[in-house]
Structures are given as structure tokens and as C-alpha cells.
Amino acid sequence: MSAVLDHHDHHAHDDHHAPTGWRRWVYATNHKDIGTLYLLFAFTMLMVGGVLALLIRAELFQPGLQIVNPELFNQLTTMHGLIMVFGAIMPAFVGFANWMVPLQIGAADMAFARMNNFSFWLMIPAALMLVGSFFMPGGAPAAGWTLYAPLTLQMGPSMDAGIFAMHILGASSIMGSINIIVTILNMRAPGMTLMKMPLFCWTWLITAYLLIAVMPVLAGAITMTLTDRHFGTTFFNPAGGGDPVMYQHIFWFFGHPEVYIMILPAFGIVSAIVPAFARKRLFGYASMVYATASIAILSFIVWAHHMYTTGMPVTGQLFFMYATMLISVPTGVKIFNWLATMWKGSMTFESPMLWAVGFIFVFTMGGFTGLILSMAPIDIQLQDTYYVVAHFHYVLVAGSLFAMFAGIYYWLPKWTGRMYKESRGKLHFWWSMIAFNVTFFPMHFLGLAGMPRRYADYPMQFADFNAIATVGAFAFGLAQVYFFIAVVLPAMRGQGEKAPQKPWEGAEGLEWEVPSPAPFHTFETPPKLDATATKVIG
């Protein structure tokens, strides 16, 4: 996905700045190269996490123990969650931010170029440590991705490796966030006020503040776990006066803002694509900004809705129930605004728009199941069942991942200078969309019927829906391999027809003011903007 220079355009004189060979990538300080590294790393981790998911589904294809023992099954569920959240979804969005934020605000690069390099390369040893924990004595951590005590206090040495890896990934996230905030606040082109900034930049600005606020909380929780394991403290050990439920409070104070960290940039991508293919300005820009900020603020006061079954007083249940329901209001504002943008627009359905509309449809379904789970009496029945698994995969796979695909199809011509075959994008979309729903829709029924999650075996009455889900999961995994071979590889190799500067007719924004592929250096002198701050004048 690298922005390789086109020697025939007027930016050819930049070429001598661009290092070549392995040094270009190892010492990369250019935001485009680092964005590319993040995206390739995230896709690699998506494949690793996907293989773990398929092992889980293969085991659950029919009742009885087939492939793995329960111990390894628990390791698979734990590592699948950790790798997908911290190795795939978050780095991919940071990759989008690196590529697009400087282009969208007319900045020459990110504010701290070397820190940018460091924050990427930190992820490699952390990822190797996470994946390598499978080969340590006793196998990988098997406490669930939430790493609840007291299980974490009883795990083998891989738990320490996992904790260390999470610390490093957290440090990387914090550095990336500082970089994004400083870039957006200090490096916008003259005339681009905050309220004229593309929504993707807004969502990332707010996300970066969320990350800085909550990553230290996670660090605190896992450090307390570490000292409980090795240094004689008893934060979470009742034998010494500790409380395992305290871990849950600390973890979810991080964990709930975390799920919004994983969806807000997706909202930003969809808010760029829907207006482009409806050929209209985004409906209700200001309300979108306020809705994003509201979601971020509310995310801090809903953490214990993950904990209705821990014996919390009814007053507490009521508070967290109402606070959680409140989040559906700004989220509903966003969905309304996207639909209003499409209303009476001259819509066409190229691949980015298909993914964006698909995102709105499935994300809304995931939102509704979240609203159902927000109600304490219902949640107490459904807690830790496959209904919860279905809910969060609808918001994280069909939410974050589908929006990323939308963003890749939308910006890939700008990144690589090549157009992908539209038929391949459409095939990838319909294949993924159908396989996704075949996989996760039956899980709602399994959960309502009482099938608990994280179990390697189940009684006969759950067999049919599990078999269907497993077939869907393998089809979904195959679709992503097809995407890499048919869409990403040809673009990286420079195959396909040359992309025009602005491949999408309705697209607006500064990123469409530079040639395709985007030159190695852009906006070395700040662009002069028109009144809308979307076009360059002069």
C-alpha cells in the first residue's frame, strides 16, 4: 500500500528524499509509510486471530471434544480476543489515522515523526510475545480476554508475558494518541477551523483523548495482577483481604471506553463515504461532532453494565442501566444523520458505499442487541451466553471491520495510485456480509436458549445452530483471504488501471487535491483553502 512516486508528475523532485530498500521501512518517519506498516501489521494479526477463531469454531462444529482439549480451548478464546482487539482493530485504525489525518488537514506530516516510528515498532515485540505465549510452559493465558482474577493469579509464566505485551501495546497506543492530538490541534492548514475539519479527524481526536484516559487504567489493573502473582500483594486475592470484583471494576472502567475507541474511527470513515456516494454534504455535521463527544463522555459512566451479576445493589443496577440506555441517543443521532444524508441523494453503490451501507445495517442490529443487554433483568439471564458473543461481534466485526473495509476501498486508489476491479470489491462484500450473518445470527438463538460462552463442549440441543455458525465462520475467513489476494496484492504490485486524482465523483476533502498515488511528501507549504476548507485555491 506504499505511496510509490510517479516520476511523471510535478512532485518527482521529491524522489531524492525517499529512502529505498529496507531502510525506508525500518527507519520510516513518513506518515504514509508508517500508516502502511500499521495496516499490514493489523491485517497479519487479523489473519492470526482469525485462525484461532476458526480453531474455536472447528471444535464447536458438533457436540463432544473433537480437536482441542478444554484447556487449549480456553487459551484460544483468550488469545483470539486479545489479538483481535489489540493487534488487529486498534492498529488498523491508527494506520488509517497516520495515512489520512495529515492529508485531510493539509499537514506535511505527523507532529512527532520519530515517536511515530517508535510507536509502530513497539508493536512487533509485543505481538511476538502474545503469539509466542502459546509455546511457553503451560500454554497461553487462558483467563478470557478480560483477564479476570482469580484465574490470572493461577496461570503459568505466559500470563506475565501477556501482561508485558499489553503494557508495551498500551505505551504504543498512548504515543500514537499524543501524536494525533498534537497534529490535529497544531498543524491544520490556515483556514481549517475545528468545525470545518473532516469528521474522520474529529472522531480520531476524541478517540485519542479516550485512549490517553483509559490505557493507564488497564496498565494499573494488569500491574496489580502482576504484583499479586509475584510480590505478595493481595489486591484481588480474598485470602489477604483483596477482592476479585475490584479487578472487574478497574478493567471495565478501561474496557467500556475501549469499545468506543474501536468504533468511533469507524463512524468517521462512514461519515466520509456516505456523503461522497450520496453526492450531498453530510447532514447535521455539528450534531455529529457533539454526538461523538457525548458517546465518549458517557462511555466513562457505564462500565458496570458488564457486571450486573456480581451482586451489585439494585440502585447501582438502575444507574448503570439508564446510563447505558442513554448512549443509544447520540448513536441514534449518527445513524439518523447518515440516513438523512442518503435521503434523496444521487446514490451509487460502488464498493466503499456498499460496505458503508452494510455497516449501518449490521451495526444498527448490534446496537439494538446492546440496548437489550443494557436492561439488568434481561442481562442477568443472558450474561455470559452466546447472545453476548453475537452482540459484540455485530458491533466489532460488522462495525469496526466493515468500516475499515469501506475505508480501504475508498482510499486505496489514493494510497496506491491504482483502481481495484469493482467486481472483486462487490464479491468480497456480499460474500463477507452473507457469511458474517450466517456465522453470528444463530448465536442470538443459542444465547437465548442458554448456551454459555467459552465452553469447549455443549449438549445436543445446540448442535444445529453451532454447525451453521461454523460453516459461516470458515466462509467468512476465506472471504478475507480472497480480499488480500484479489484486491490488496494487485494494488500493492501496481496492477490495475491508473487511478485519477479524484476517483469518486462526490468525494470532498484535501486528500483528493494531491495526485494519486499520494506523493512521498505532501503539503510542504500549507495549502490555501476555500471557504468550505475542502478545496485548495491558487
Side-chain angles (χ1 to χ4, degrees), residues 152-500:
T152 46
L153 309 182
Q154 300 157 10
M155 292 281 136
S158 66
M159 191 68 229
D160 304 320
I163 288 171
F164 192 34
M166 304 292 290
H167 272 302
I168 297 173
L169 289 167
S172 167
S173 288
I174 289 172
M175 282 193 279
S177 302
I178 292 170
N179 219 340
I180 289 165
I181 290 171
V182 175
T183 304
I184 291 176
L185 293 185
N186 292 336
M187 297 175 67
R188 300 190 306 283
M192 180 174 284
T193 60
L194 282 173
M195 291 309 271
K196 284 182 181 169
M197 197 164 68
L199 256 170
F200 178 69
C201 298
W202 258 115
T203 53
W204 242 117
L205 179 65
I206 291 167
T207 301
Y209 276 112
L210 275 180
L211 273 164
I212 289 174
V214 302
M215 288 317 281
V217 178
L218 174 67
I222 57 180
T223 304
M224 289 151 92
T225 303
L226 190 73
T227 59
D228 273 13
R229 285 169 56 81
H230 297 294
F231 300 107
T233 58
T234 52
F235 290 112
F236 309 133
N237 183 358
D243 183 2
V245 176
M246 181 170 80
Y247 175 87
Q248 296 189 28
H249 279 290
I250 302 167
F251 178 86
W252 285 116
F253 190 78
F254 147 81
H256 204 79
E258 167 67 19
V259 297
Y260 294 105
I261 287 163
M262 290 189 281
I263 200 67
L264 291 181
F267 291 162
I269 292 172
V270 172
S271 300
I273 293 171
V274 169
F277 293 92
R279 291 163 180 77
K280 281 172 64 187
R281 298 299 295 275
L282 181 73
F283 180 90
Y285 173 93
S287 62
M288 286 295 239
V289 173
Y290 298 137
T292 308
S294 310
I295 290 171
I297 293 161
L298 288 171
S299 74
F300 284 102
I301 58 163
V302 296
W303 76 90
H305 66 208
H306 298 268
M307 300 169 55
Y308 287 141
T309 53
T310 54
M312 118 178 28
V314 174
T315 323
Q317 291 183 16
L318 281 172
F319 168 79
F320 286 106
M321 184 165 99
Y322 292 139
T324 305
M325 289 179 178
L326 201 57
I327 287 196
S328 63
V329 177
T331 314
V333 167
K334 286 179 169 297
I335 290 163
F336 175 82
N337 284 8
W338 290 323
L339 297 177
T341 306
M342 290 189 251
W343 179 252
K344 292 192 173 173
S346 333
M347 294 220 287
T348 52
F349 292 96
E350 289 89 339
S351 300
M353 186 61 162
L354 274 180
W355 282 103
V357 173
F359 162 89
I360 293 169
F361 170 64
V362 245
F363 173 77
T364 305
M365 283 169 63
F368 277 128
T369 54
L371 202 50
I372 288 165
L373 289 168
S374 73
M375 299 180 217
I378 302 179
D379 181 82
I380 287 166
Q381 295 296 312
L382 296 176
Q383 196 254 351
D384 256 333
T385 67
Y386 266 78
Y387 192 89
V388 179
V389 177
H391 156 68
F392 71 72
H393 282 85
Y394 265 80
V395 279
L396 286 181
V397 182
S400 304
L401 190 66
F402 280 18
M404 278 179 212
F405 285 138
I408 289 168
Y409 282 106
Y410 185 57
W411 284 310
L412 197 66
K414 182 57 64 190
W415 295 345
T416 62
R418 298 286 164 180
M419 297 300 290
Y420 47 83
K421 283 200 168 57
E422 195 56 55
S423 56
R424 294 177 183 178
K426 289 194 161 78
L427 173 62
H428 177 218
F429 170 75
W430 287 110
W431 183 356
S432 296
M433 185 60 123
I434 292 164
F436 169 80
N437 282 288
V438 169
T439 306
F440 292 105
F441 200 74
M443 291 185 189
H444 293 101
F445 302 119
L446 287 170
L448 288 165
M451 178 170 167
R453 64 180 183 172
R454 298 178 180 173
Y455 277 40
D457 192 9
Y458 53 86
M460 202 61 215
Q461 67 260 35
F462 300 135
D464 294 350
F465 278 146
N466 268 299
I468 292 168
T470 295
V471 171
F474 275 86
F476 187 76
L478 212 56
Q480 309 332 313
V481 176
Y482 170 80
F483 163 69
F484 189 74
I485 292 168
V487 179
V488 178
L489 273 184
M492 286 171 67
R493 288 185 180 144
Q495 296 162 354
E497 58 179 271
K498 270 188 70 58

Side-chain angles (χ1 to χ4, degrees), residues 100-119:
M100 299 318 302
V101 166
L103 283 180
Q104 290 192 331
I105 64 173
D109 207 305
M110 296 292 277
F112 305 116
R114 291 220 168 94
M115 186 164 88
N116 209 8
N117 174 291
F118 187 45
S119 64

